[in-house]
Amino acid sequence: MKSPLVPGNAALAYRPFDLDTIGAGLVFGESLGELAKALGAGGTAGTAVVQAPPGTGKTTLVPPLLANIALANIGAGAVTGKERPRVIVTQPRRVAARSAARRLAALDGSRLGDRVGYTVRGESQTGPGTIIEFATPGILLRRLLADPGLETASAVILDEVHERGLETDLLLGMLIEVRELREDLTLVAMSATLDAPRFAALIGSSGVGEGADGKHDGGGPAPVVDCPAALHPLKVDWAPAAGPRLDGRGVTRTFLDHVADTAASSYTDTLAADPDIDALVFVPGAWEVSYVASRLRARLAARLPDAEVLELHGQASPAEQDRAVSGREPGGSPRIVVSTALAESSLTVPGVRLVIDSGLSRELRRDANRGMSGLVTVSCSRASAEQRAGRAARQGPGRVVRCYEQKAFGAAPAHPTPEIAAADLTGAALVLACWGSPGGRGLALPDSPPQGAMDDAMEVLRELGAIDPDGLATDVGKTLARIPADPRLARALLDGAATVGHRAAAEAVALVAGDQRAQGADLTRLLATLRTGKDPAARRWAEDVRRMEAIARQERSAVGPSLTAPPSLSSPASAAGAVGFVVALAFPDRVARRVPGAGPERYLLTSGTRAGLPAGSPLAGHEWLAVAEVSRAEGRDAAGTGAVIRSAAPLAADAAEAAASHLLRNAVEAEFKQGRVIARQERRMGAILLSSTPVRPSIDDGRVAVAHALAKEGLGTIGWSSPADALRRRLALLNRELGDPWPDVSEQALLARLDKWLAPELEALAGGDATSGIDLTEPLQRLLPWPEAARLGELVPEWLEVPSGSRVRIDYPDAADGGGRPVVAVKLQECFGWAETPRLVGGRVPVLFHLLSPARRPLAVTDDLSSFWSGPYAQVRAEMRGRYPKHPWPEDPWTAPATAKTKRKM
């Protein structure tokens, strides 16, 4: 392999990277020449997308190639104003950045931090001679905001773009804009999956078009440089568990036991065939890593006592992470690395030829209705499963054992959900506001942010004072953007520093912003553990605290006047209360109060969300909590609320009110209850009721309460008396048959015209009168049209006189019944001789007769009396005269006298 672009200028301050040595044995070495050509070597910098599977060497070889191109351009004078090149390579995870830098420095034969270095949160190994710098996306984002032209960089490589991390997506859009101003900036995106064309279209959209020499200069899709997979033969086995992988509480322990047992037996068999093989086990989260690793150690203690079981996840210390990914020492013990998705694509763990995959991953999800976002456990995508499996076949024939059914693999999504589609966007919205693209407007992003999530994020930023009415960052917003934490935590750091002290505020913010998981959700216990220095994460936390404290001292004046400290923070126990106060300042919508009652602990947040506590949490019993994280959940911990508190700290009542003062509200709440208006003077903090005292309602409060009750429950709130209901039914029939001017008395129409017919009664109710004193008959009469109302009794009479002389009430159909008929229920004997069926509403509507037995049970239903007497009556007579012998059942109903009496009394 001949190294492309090795400058021959002996006076060059920096020697080139020896790509032949660095790329020995790496598959991507064969693609270097194609990539160099695509980038327009020796001329104007260009763009490209590298599509290469994990393990091919792209992360190791592409950065030094770009460094050599930059060195050659500087030596040839093609790029002016730069004393030295700088190639920045983003890695989505800190451990990946450190590992990649360490490996490249070793292959280059230089000391880490000299020619090759890295920068991650709280840690930097770089120097004035650093040419290649690996960094996390967040580091580069802040660097871009401070230096929008990125003048110190010659090239940027965005690695693992297929993972669709939110910060990487933002960087892609922002760097495309930078290239429009800086054609000398080389931009390369690298993907491990087959989605390169969409990134090529985005990256190539900037620039001035194709150059005269045919080299890519923008204006069309960026060139895609492919690299064949470096996979050896891979055997796929399926070993599904007998029970479910997930239940309402998350990953089941029985499934984790199955994963551990499968890993132990598979690795034991594998080592028998080849003792040099190591294994990699994928589970979704840090807790599952710890659980499976512990069970593996117990299972292997007898069979493989010298085997090492290592844990790899984001909460492990840098030393533990580096040890897990460094590979087995020559002659070292067999190793099983139990990992989260950290080892999926951005890291290569040497020696691995066996992969055990749970098929689960953690992905961000946002619940907009409940104001929650967080990681949830889901089936991993097919792309993720393929990458995990591929880890076993990088260095020789391998095997993957999938601990789930093949049909579950087929049903999994093709790719993981882009973080921008599921995450809380507050931090991203602040970056975009500082960049001058509020809400992402005008920025070439792989996917547009969801409008609802972005609107929520912008509203949070407005409350923080971080953006102006146009959505651009204010001075406060720019200050918050310089703090490496969520904007809410950044604001709490500055506001809290003046109240609890710079150190205490910095400790609380570093605690919540860090990767550590609070056991039992108790942040104060986690703080005490970190302060001892014994926790593996203590060193990183202490560095974060020092950095946050320095920022708080430097930036405090930028955010305005200080808060007044609540009395509880002046007590000797204020150190413990400081954590809760700072958390409450950051997330006032998550201040929570205990819900009284028996059973599991439940808390009501100011946002209105209810959540449970983990079983056995030390926080149980505290009246107030400042909640840093709450997520959707089922099972015992959720206590029937559908959510569980993941991290929180105790909070005094006065501290809660001070932190969430903008949510405090005093108001008279009037409601219509049990037939009258009642009112209470309520003091609330968001959804939390602080106090409630009975008061006499004002007439205005009463009107609001009555209107609300009517809108919710309709006119049934007042109730229809029998006369009122009868009048309404008659009017409804008239409106149905004749239309105007007879009024529409449907529920909807009456509610829409309350002021026309019910105003006096509503005022009486608003003033405290009870519904028992109101009859809706008179109000309905106000709707009668004149002079037509004079014919009401004629058109829809209340009574009908039958041949026996009785007056029978007419039962009109319900007002909501659009096709009902007026009914007269009368004893059959009272209608003898009646041939013509009466008709109402001017002859339009025939009465429907329910002809009854002497016991007033229905015998026949008819609206044609003549036909009834001539036909069905004979059968009715035959069946009934023996049952009711005292009543007349004449053979000839036409001539028999109509009567309501028995034969003896006639």
Side-chain angles (χ1 to χ4, degrees):
M1 175 180 67
K2 188 175 188 297
S3 298
L5 300 163
V6 178
N9 188 346
L12 194 65
Y14 299 100
R15 65 176 174 84
F17 288 89
D18 186 345
L19 299 180
D20 292 321
T21 300
I22 293 172
L26 296 178
V27 176
F28 193 79
E30 302 301 322
S31 301
L32 283 180
E34 181 185 354
L35 178 58
K37 180 179 179 182
L39 293 173
T44 302
T47 62
V49 174
V50 172
Q51 181 175 280
T56 52
K58 63 182 182 299
T59 303
T60 301
L61 279 171
V62 175
L65 170 66
L66 266 63
N68 283 358
I69 291 175
L71 287 167
N73 288 340
I74 292 174
V79 178
T80 59
K82 291 190 182 299
E83 297 179 359
R84 59 182 173 84
R86 174 65 67 95
V87 176
I88 302 174
V89 189
T90 64
Q91 289 291 327
R93 300 172 181 87
R94 293 191 292 264
V95 60
R98 290 195 306 269
S99 177
R102 186 176 291 108
R103 173 175 169 76
L104 182 55
L107 292 173
D108 181 53
S110 60
R111 188 175 60 181
L112 181 65
D114 288 347
R115 285 159 53 84
V116 180
Y118 67 86
T119 301
V120 298
R121 191 182 76 191
E123 185 181 0
S124 181
Q125 288 274 4
T126 60
T130 299
I131 301 174
I132 299 174
E133 178 188 13
F134 290 85
T136 50
I139 295 294
L140 184 53
L141 271 179
R142 287 194 222 1
R143 203 172 287 177
L144 262 176
L145 293 182
D147 176 18
L150 206 62
E151 299 296 339
T152 58
S154 305
V156 176
I157 302 171
L158 300 178
D159 203 358
E160 313 297 351
V161 293
H162 63 278
E163 291 192 8
R164 298 303 312 278
L166 176 56
E167 291 179 326
T168 300
D169 278 5
L170 295 179
L171 279 174
L172 191 62
M174 294 163 69
L175 288 168
I176 288 170
E177 285 198 351
V178 173
R179 280 208 78 247
E180 292 177 359
L181 302 175
R182 276 197 58 197
E183 293 182 10
D184 64 317
L185 179 67
T186 300
L187 178 59
V188 175
M190 301 203 296
S191 172
T193 59
L194 301 177
D195 53 0
R198 72 179 307 189
F199 294 109
L202 276 173
I203 292 176
S205 63
S206 62
V208 296
E210 189 174 286
D213 57 359
K215 294 169 183 172
H216 179 72
D217 230 7
V224 176
V225 177
D226 286 305
C227 176
L231 286 178
H232 294 272
L234 176 68
K235 181 183 179 185
V236 179
D237 290 329
W238 303 91
R245 290 187 291 171
L246 299 170
D247 61 14
R249 300 180 63 188
V251 188
T252 64
R253 297 194 180 220
T254 55
F255 176 69
L256 292 177
D257 291 343
H258 171 72
V259 172
D261 295 347
T262 301
S265 60
S266 299
Y267 191 47
T268 301
D269 295 342
T270 299
L271 280 182
D274 188 341
D276 294 328
I277 289 178
D278 290 339
L280 180 59
V281 182
F282 284 102
V283 291
W287 182 87
E288 290 84 0
V289 166
S290 179
Y291 183 92
V292 170
S294 177
R295 186 173 176 89
L296 267 173
R297 293 184 187 105
R299 290 296 307 274
L300 296 174
R303 288 182 282 180
L304 296 171
D306 60 337
E308 283 189 285
V309 180
L310 303 173
E311 301 180 21
L312 178 59
H313 52 80
Q315 297 177 32
S317 69
E320 291 172 324
Q321 292 176 342
D322 293 343
R323 184 164 179 265
V325 302
S326 61
R328 191 195 301 191
E329 295 290 336
S333 300
R335 297 170 16 125
I336 298 182
V337 178
V338 186
S339 176
T340 61
L342 268 178
E344 189 174 294
S345 63
S346 55
L347 285 171
T348 295
V349 183
V352 169
R353 300 261 296 281
L354 172 66
V355 166
I356 311 296
D357 186 12
S358 68
L360 298 174
S361 64
R362 292 270 203 272
E363 288 191 10
L364 275 169
R365 291 290 186 271
R366 178 176 179 271
D367 186 339
N369 293 330
R370 306 183 71 178
M372 296 185 300
S373 62
L375 294 171
V376 297
T377 305
V378 296
S379 293
C380 71
S381 68
R382 296 195 301 276
S384 295
E386 294 292 358
Q387 290 190 68
R388 294 177 181 186
R391 289 298 179 192
R394 298 287 176 242
Q395 297 172 309
R399 176 186 176 214
V400 59
V401 181
R402 290 177 172 148
C403 297
Y404 53 101
E405 294 183 336
Q406 190 168 0
K407 65 180 181 181
F409 172 82
H415 298 281
T417 303
E419 194 175 342
I420 197 171
D424 181 306
L425 298 181
T426 307
L430 181 57
V431 169
L432 293 170
C434 292
W435 188 251
S437 301
R441 291 198 301 270
L443 210 60
L445 297 172
D447 285 300
S448 298
Q451 192 59 52
M454 183 55 72
D455 290 344
D456 291 346
M458 297 290 277
E459 181 58 32
V460 170
L461 294 180
R462 274 188 284 271
E463 293 173 357
L464 296 175
I467 57 175
D468 63 20
D470 296 325
L472 297 171
T474 61
D475 289 341
V476 169
K478 293 173 183 176
T479 298
L480 299 182
R482 289 194 290 270
I483 300 174
D486 180 283
R488 290 162 290 201
L489 284 170
R491 180 75 199 227
L493 171 69
L494 303 183
D495 287 343
T499 305
V500 301
H502 298 92
R503 178 74 179 181
E507 285 185 334
V509 170
L511 187 71
V512 177
D515 298 324
Q516 306 81 27
R517 176 68 67 180
Q519 292 295 320
D522 189 354
L523 286 172
T524 53
R525 288 200 174 188
L526 176 60
L527 176 62
T529 301
L530 291 172
R531 280 173 171 170
T532 66
K534 297 178 181 179
D535 189 279
R539 179 179 176 184
R540 181 188 297 167
W541 173 77
E543 291 170 350
D544 286 346
V545 170
R546 284 192 289 273
R547 187 167 70 258
M548 296 288 185
E549 184 177 3
I551 292 172
R553 294 183 184 280
Q554 177 181 351
E555 305 284 5
R556 172 66 193 96
S557 60
V559 297
S562 302
L563 298 172
T564 301
S568 61
L569 293 180
S570 302
S571 67
S574 61
V579 178
F581 183 64
V582 174
V583 171
L585 285 175
F587 306 108
D589 58 318
R590 300 179 199 166
V591 170
R593 190 179 192 181
R594 184 174 178 270
V595 177
E601 294 283 84
R602 297 180 182 86
Y603 283 81
L604 174 63
L605 280 62
T606 54
S607 65
T609 292
R610 290 177 182 263
L613 273 176
S617 171
L619 297 173
H622 284 281
E623 181 70 10
W624 290 90
L625 295 178
V627 178
E629 181 184 354
V630 58
S631 63
R632 293 182 299 178
E634 300 296 337
R636 181 180 62 175
D637 290 352
T641 65
V644 65
I645 294 169
R646 301 296 185 189
S647 62
L651 190 65
D654 62 343
E657 292 192 19
S661 59
H662 63 290
L663 298 179
L664 292 173
R665 182 170 61 89
N666 286 289
V668 173
E669 294 293 334
E671 63 175 331
F672 196 80
K673 191 174 182 180
Q674 297 178 340
R676 66 172 65 243
V677 175
I678 60 173
R680 304 185 72 87
Q681 176 76 42
E682 291 185 347
R683 187 165 184 263
R684 288 183 174 273
M685 184 191 302
I688 298 174
L689 180 63
L690 301 176
S691 63
S692 179
T693 305
V695 295
R696 182 177 180 83
S698 68
I699 191 71
D700 289 338
D701 291 333
R703 291 190 187 106
V704 171
V706 171
H708 179 74
L710 289 172
K712 182 179 180 182
E713 302 176 20
L715 290 164
T717 301
I718 300 173
W720 293 95
S721 66
S722 295
D725 182 56
L727 175 59
R728 184 187 180 199
R729 288 168 179 253
R730 295 162 68 199
L731 293 174
L733 182 63
L734 287 172
N735 177 261
R736 188 184 85 190
E737 297 298 326
L738 301 178
D740 290 337
W742 297 101
D744 181 354
V745 290
S746 64
E747 183 86 0
Q748 182 178 2
L750 289 175
L751 289 174
R753 304 175 61 194
L754 289 173
D755 57 328
K756 301 290 186 183
W757 67 285
L758 198 58
E761 287 74 19
L762 292 181
E763 283 296 289
L765 289 174
D769 286 3
T771 55
S772 58
I774 294 177
D775 186 341
L776 294 179
T777 306
E778 181 182 342
L780 271 181
Q781 291 173 346
R782 297 179 189 133
L783 293 175
L784 291 175
W786 293 95
E788 291 83 353
R791 299 184 61 205
L792 179 66
E794 171 195 341
L795 295 172
V796 282
E798 293 185 70
W799 308 88
L800 182 66
E801 186 171 340
V802 299
S804 68
S806 299
R807 295 177 73 243
V808 182
R809 181 178 293 277
I810 301 174
D811 185 12
Y812 287 91
D814 188 89
D817 187 348
R821 301 268 293 279
V823 172
V824 169
V826 60
K827 286 197 292 184
L828 181 148
Q829 285 80 2
E830 296 195 59
C831 297
F832 288 155
W834 204 354
E836 189 70 28
T837 301
R839 303 178 75 87
L840 308 179
V841 194
R844 287 175 174 80
V845 183
V847 171
L848 186 65
F849 281 91
H850 288 197
L851 299 175
L852 309 178
S853 73
R856 303 198 68 81
R857 292 187 176 93
L859 296 176
V861 176
T862 182
D863 62 0
D864 188 347
L865 289 172
S866 179
S867 296
F868 174 74
W869 299 130
S870 300
Y873 170 73
Q875 183 179 350
V876 172
R877 175 180 179 272
E879 294 175 356
M880 293 293 111
R881 65 178 181 169
R883 185 176 299 180
Y884 301 102
K886 297 180 181 181
H887 295 266
W889 298 96
E891 287 188 43
D892 182 7
W894 294 103
T895 59
T899 181
K901 301 177 182 179
T902 61
K903 289 189 289 187
R904 178 180 296 180
K905 295 182 178 181
M906 288 177 62

